[in-house]
Amino acid sequence: MFSTKLCSINGFSSSTHLFLKSFKRVLPSLSHGKCTATNTLEAQCKCKPQKQVCKTVLKHFDAQYSEELGEQWSSARDVLLNPLSWQYGVLLNRFSDLTNLKQCLTELGYTNLLPQTHPESPYQTAPIPLQCFIHRDPVRIPTQSHHPGWLKQYYLLNAASLLPVLSLNVKEGERVLDLCAAPGGKSLAILQTATPGFLHCNEVDQHRHDWLLKTLESYVPPTLRRLLSVTRLDGRSLGSMRPGAYDKVLVDAPCSNDRSWLYTPDTLQGEMWLKERTRLPLLQKELLCSALAAVRPGGVVVYSTCTLSRAENQSVVEAVLASHQGVELLELEQHLIGSLSDRFCFARIHPSVGQLVIPEKCRTWGPMYVSRLRRIY
């Protein structure tokens, strides 16, 4: 069970005041338009050593993605090769004191990624708890340090990584499994959308498991501790260990993360990772099959990766659908895709067994692949 002590909220107000005071210091330099914001970021980045692109990995990407994505690879390639162009989403933590924070973000030029009413019905006007603010420029506000007795107000992330959580569509009281949960951003986002009856966060790698615990401690109040379980189980076996135990399962599978793999430290490391890449689809299929065993009949599984690779995305889902009876593909809700079509660039992939967000200029979100399945029986 989740036994690590979570932060209390005692003494929160003074910490909040100090943070907002320092946060507003960046406002004058970032609130005067696009040019100033971008130049400020570039000035900051020039002080730091820049990562070097691994030519071996880039050559492999060029060959594979030119064939799979056609002309869309060119724009995605330009973004991946220019980290200074990358945008960052600011996921607000509804468990923290957000006094004045949204106003500060608005003054900085941020807007809310998501509509603030439920789109299922024209008569439904209840607010959506999940709030993520994005900027048109590659502005990155400071990360917040951990302080005892204070919950962090926001989590910085690639805004496209919220698409799997939105597709999961967790309802109040549901039992949810985040099968590959570290570093914890999607688990945190799940808790922003609803209060589940139970959230099981699993991560087999020790280092990443510790990272997950640290994230939850920094953002989640003690009152929710009884709803959380954090484990280090082999995700491939979890379905047989706990068959039909969950209403919803998220499989954010280990993948050849294009943004990080492109900046592999050296050629030998790059070559080793490319060999590892050929073994990933088998692991991903096993994890997805385990998730389908862990979800109850009628329950939903969302599969996602942060790579453009067809072998790790569409091909994995197609193989599982072909080998499993009692599983059906669910289209992602059109209202969800429609509401994000101006924010994200979706790839043109056929046949469609999911949605792929690819980065492009001024919309640098992604890569993020999402597919949604339902266990029928």
Side-chain angles (χ1 to χ4, degrees):
M1 293 297 292
F2 182 47
S3 57
T4 304
K5 185 176 180 181
L6 294 171
C7 304
S8 70
I9 59 174
N10 296 329
F12 174 85
S13 298
S14 59
S15 299
T16 304
H17 176 74
L18 289 173
F19 167 71
L20 289 173
K21 188 174 181 180
S22 63
F23 180 75
K24 287 180 179 179
R25 292 195 189 110
V26 304
L27 189 61
S29 63
L30 295 179
S31 62
H32 298 300
K34 179 177 179 180
C35 183
T36 302
T38 305
N39 290 344
T40 300
L41 181 74
E42 290 178 347
Q44 293 172 347
C45 291
K46 285 179 181 177
C47 299
K48 303 176 182 179
Q50 297 301 300
K51 297 179 180 179
Q52 298 298 313
V53 172
C54 178
K55 294 182 179 179
T56 301
V57 175
L58 179 59
K59 182 179 179 181
H60 181 87
F61 282 4
D62 280 336
Q64 179 180 353
Y65 294 149
S66 293
E67 178 181 352
E68 294 180 1
L69 297 173
E71 61 184 21
Q72 286 188 299
W73 167 236
S74 178
S75 59
R77 184 184 193 273
D78 289 344
V79 170
L80 293 177
L81 291 177
N82 182 17
L84 291 181
S85 72
W86 296 358
Q87 296 161 285
Y88 295 88
V90 184
L91 176 66
L92 302 193
N93 182 17
R94 69 184 176 110
F95 307 117
S96 183
D97 183 350
L98 302 178
T99 304
N100 298 327
L101 179 58
K102 287 192 282 187
Q103 179 182 347
C104 287
L105 290 170
T106 301
E107 291 175 2
L108 281 167
Y110 282 83
T111 57
N112 205 325
L113 172 71
L114 302 165
Q116 290 303 289
T117 57
H118 284 293
E120 291 87 351
S121 166
Y123 308 105
Q124 185 82 350
T125 58
I128 295 177
L130 193 152
Q131 298 183 74
C132 180
F133 283 76
I134 61 174
H135 201 286
R136 64 181 181 178
D137 299 321
V139 177
R140 180 170 181 172
I141 65 175
T143 57
Q144 293 179 309
S145 300
H146 174 78
H147 297 287
W150 182 65
L151 296 178
K152 293 184 181 182
Q153 298 164 301
Y154 61 82
Y155 184 94
L156 299 181
L157 77 175
N158 183 329
S161 65
L162 294 178
L163 187 56
V165 175
L166 293 168
S167 302
L168 200 62
N169 195 22
V170 173
K171 304 295 185 183
E172 296 286 323
E174 289 186 322
R175 295 176 62 85
V176 182
L177 168 63
D178 189 351
L179 191 63
C180 311
K186 292 182 179 65
S187 294
L188 176 62
I190 288 171
L191 291 170
Q192 304 305 309
T193 63
T195 302
F198 177 67
L199 175 59
H200 180 179
C201 306
N202 183 68
E203 176 56 53
V204 67
D205 179 79
Q206 179 66 63
H207 173 72
R208 291 174 61 81
H209 175 269
D210 294 343
W211 190 359
L212 170 63
L213 281 174
K214 186 175 181 181
T215 299
L216 295 174
E217 292 167 5
S218 296
Y219 290 93
V220 181
T223 53
L224 290 184
R225 181 169 56 186
R226 62 184 176 80
L227 303 180
L228 301 179
S229 173
V230 182
T231 60
R232 281 194 59 224
L233 302 172
D234 185 337
R236 296 170 294 181
S237 304
L238 208 151
S240 59
M241 295 168 59
R242 302 184 181 179
Y246 305 94
D247 300 295
K248 304 279 177 67
V249 180
L250 174 62
V251 188
D252 188 43
C255 68
S256 52
N257 184 324
D258 296 343
R259 287 191 182 226
S260 63
W261 282 31
L262 191 56
Y263 295 92
T264 306
D266 55 62
T267 300
L268 289 178
Q269 180 75 47
E271 292 174 349
M272 184 186 75
W273 278 9
L274 290 176
K275 290 180 181 178
E276 180 184 338
R277 193 178 211 214
T278 62
R279 297 191 290 269
L280 282 171
L282 176 58
L283 170 63
Q284 292 157 346
K285 291 173 191 173
E286 291 174 336
L287 289 170
L288 182 51
C289 290
S290 178
L292 288 166
V295 78
R296 63 169 175 79
V300 171
V301 172
V302 169
Y303 174 78
S304 65
T305 75
C306 52
T307 179
L308 299 167
S309 172
R310 178 182 292 274
E312 299 177 52
N313 296 338
Q314 299 97 296
S315 296
V316 169
V317 175
E318 289 168 348
V320 170
L321 286 171
S323 60
H324 275 65
Q325 295 181 341
V327 177
E328 66 177 349
L329 178 70
L330 296 176
E331 293 288 339
L332 271 64
E333 288 89 345
Q334 286 305 306
H335 68 73
L336 175 59
I337 300 303
S339 68
L340 295 173
S341 59
D342 290 337
R343 305 290 199 175
F344 298 159
C345 175
F346 290 96
R348 299 181 292 271
I349 53 177
H350 301 284
S352 176
V353 289
Q355 295 285 346
L356 175 63
V357 178
I358 61 175
E360 68 172 10
K361 185 178 180 181
C362 298
R363 296 192 297 178
T364 62
W365 314 112
M368 181 56 57
Y369 174 78
V370 183
S371 185
R372 195 163 173 254
L373 305 175
R374 177 162 57 204
R375 178 180 171 183
I376 302 172
Y377 55 82

